[in-house]
Amino acid sequence: MSASFDTLLYETNQPGVATVTINRPEKLNALNDNVLNELAEVFKQINIDDTVRGCILTGTGDKAFVAGADIKELRELNEHRGRMASQKGQQIFQLIEDTRKPVIALVNGYALGGGAELAMACHLRVATENAVFGLPEVGLGLIPGYGGTQRLPRIVGRAKALELILTGKQLSAEQAQQIGLVNRVVSQDYGWEEVEKMMDAILKNGPLAVKQAMRAVYHSDHKSGFQIESELFGYLCGTDDAEEGLSAFLEKRKPNFKGI
Ligand code: CO8
């Protein structure tokens, strides 16, 4: 594939392995509409490109994988636009999850909100020691809206998922590994080596078997919960609490929620 993007870097350094790097370091790689559109485009192309057998997804710099959805854009959402934005993001993340070539997230820093949700839409996760995971949406008066309420319980179980979603607390890379949210933790210098080793270990196997194994493993998932997530995300976008939570972040102050 020959592709050029505004917010992504696309490379194929290892034969057969595409590397997609989200490249908005000045905003800690936050997912604005442009990034989401380009992620959709690149994964559509990866899906149809027979020369690509696997993909590594990461973020530019050593501070963030992705620090979430772009909070500036979230503040523009009302109930209807919130629901639509959630559905759009869910579809793009589903496209990533439905890729029948292994997608490994190299989580090299903050993976918060939509960033944690993006990592969860990948099939496997390697974290560097400085990675931080969290779903801080409730602190902004919202809930995860890119599939996080559905994928997190599937990955770590309902009790742990509820704890993380309801408290919004952050986990270190090691804590994330302890609950099964990441497959492996390595020092910052070895992130690439580890992720390439994992990819090699997969790609040396029968390509048809790898593809069908992925299909079989994901077959048990139910899809209706995603629709409920979007409805509720949209509802919250129309509330005073979301307006207050998002404004408070951008104005660098603590939110004063009223429950309306
Ligand atoms: N969106 C927009 N801008 C961001 C974001 C973000 N998520 N995160 C960081 N930035 C910006 C900052 O505003 C800042 O910009 P500027 O220099 O112009 O002020 C720049 O990136 C650097 O950030 P900080 O100065 O804050 O860096 P720190 O090292 O002090 O802090 C943190 C790093 C702790 C990661 C901090 O930036 C932070 O808390 N970020 C927000 C994290 C967050 O709450 N993420 C969740 C967002 S909500 C979400 O993802 C919902 C997903 C579902 C959406 C569904 C439908 C749309």
Side-chain angles (χ1 to χ4, degrees):
M1 184 205 312
S2 69
S4 93
F5 299 96
D6 290 335
T7 62
L8 304 179
L9 304 174
Y10 182 86
E11 290 157 295
T12 43
N13 296 335
Q14 218 185 334
V17 180
T19 298
V20 176
T21 307
I22 298 171
N23 189 32
R24 268 191 99 203
E26 71 290 353
K27 294 291 176 192
L28 304 186
N29 304 320
L31 302 171
N32 64 7
D33 207 42
N34 205 7
V35 178
L36 287 174
N37 290 337
E38 294 197 337
L39 277 174
E41 185 54 34
V42 78
F43 276 94
K44 277 182 200 152
Q45 294 194 33
I46 285 171
N47 267 310
I48 57 172
D49 186 339
D50 290 338
T51 66
V52 175
R53 297 174 55 217
C55 173
I56 298 167
L57 179 63
T58 191
T60 290
D62 54 11
K63 194 166 171 190
F65 170 70
V66 167
D70 192 305
I71 294 178
K72 217 171 181 176
E73 289 186 359
L74 291 182
R75 203 165 51 163
E76 307 303 315
L77 300 176
N78 58 19
E79 182 165 352
H80 174 69
R81 287 205 301 266
R83 192 181 317 117
M84 301 304 283
S86 166
Q87 284 169 357
K88 175 179 168 175
Q90 284 181 356
Q91 280 162 12
I92 295 167
F93 286 21
Q94 194 63 48
L95 177 72
I96 297 173
E97 190 179 87
D98 286 344
T99 303
R100 290 300 168 246
K101 307 173 183 191
V103 180
I104 307 180
L106 173 53
V107 182
N108 54 327
Y110 287 110
L112 299 176
E117 294 180 276
L118 179 61
M120 288 189 265
C122 298
H123 305 119
L124 296 160
R125 286 158 289 282
V126 170
T128 52
E129 279 167 348
N130 61 323
V132 177
F133 290 83
L135 290 162
E137 284 90 342
V138 286
L140 297 166
L142 294 172
I143 57 171
Y146 289 148
T149 64
Q150 305 305 299
R151 291 196 176 91
L152 188 59
R154 290 172 191 173
I155 297 171
V156 304
R158 190 177 284 170
K160 270 287 160 208
L162 267 177
E163 183 186 338
L164 292 177
I165 291 170
L166 298 185
T167 63
K169 78 173 181 187
Q170 297 185 347
L171 297 183
S172 66
E174 200 172 317
Q175 290 169 323
Q177 188 183 25
Q178 279 162 7
I179 63 166
L181 182 54
V182 299
N183 297 82
R184 204 117 347 133
V185 180
V186 288
S187 71
Q188 275 178 273
D189 292 343
Y190 286 97
W192 280 104
E193 197 175 316
E194 187 62 31
V195 86
E196 284 171 2
K197 216 164 73 187
M198 190 182 265
M199 189 63 87
D200 276 348
I202 298 171
L203 296 186
K204 73 176 172 28
N205 297 308
L208 283 181
V210 167
K211 186 173 166 186
Q212 301 310 340
M214 291 172 75
R215 281 187 67 190
V217 167
Y218 279 97
H219 197 68
S220 60
D221 288 355
H222 303 291
K223 307 231 158 155
S224 64
F226 286 96
Q227 196 185 332
I228 293 165
E229 182 187 83
S230 291
E231 296 293 330
L232 297 174
F233 186 88
Y235 156 72
L236 288 165
C237 283
T239 63
D240 289 357
D241 272 5
E243 166 68 28
E244 169 62 11
L246 296 167
S247 299
F249 174 81
L250 294 169
E251 290 158 18
K252 303 185 192 295
R253 60 175 173 82
K254 279 200 160 45
N256 178 18
F257 293 122
K258 301 221 159 60
I260 48 171

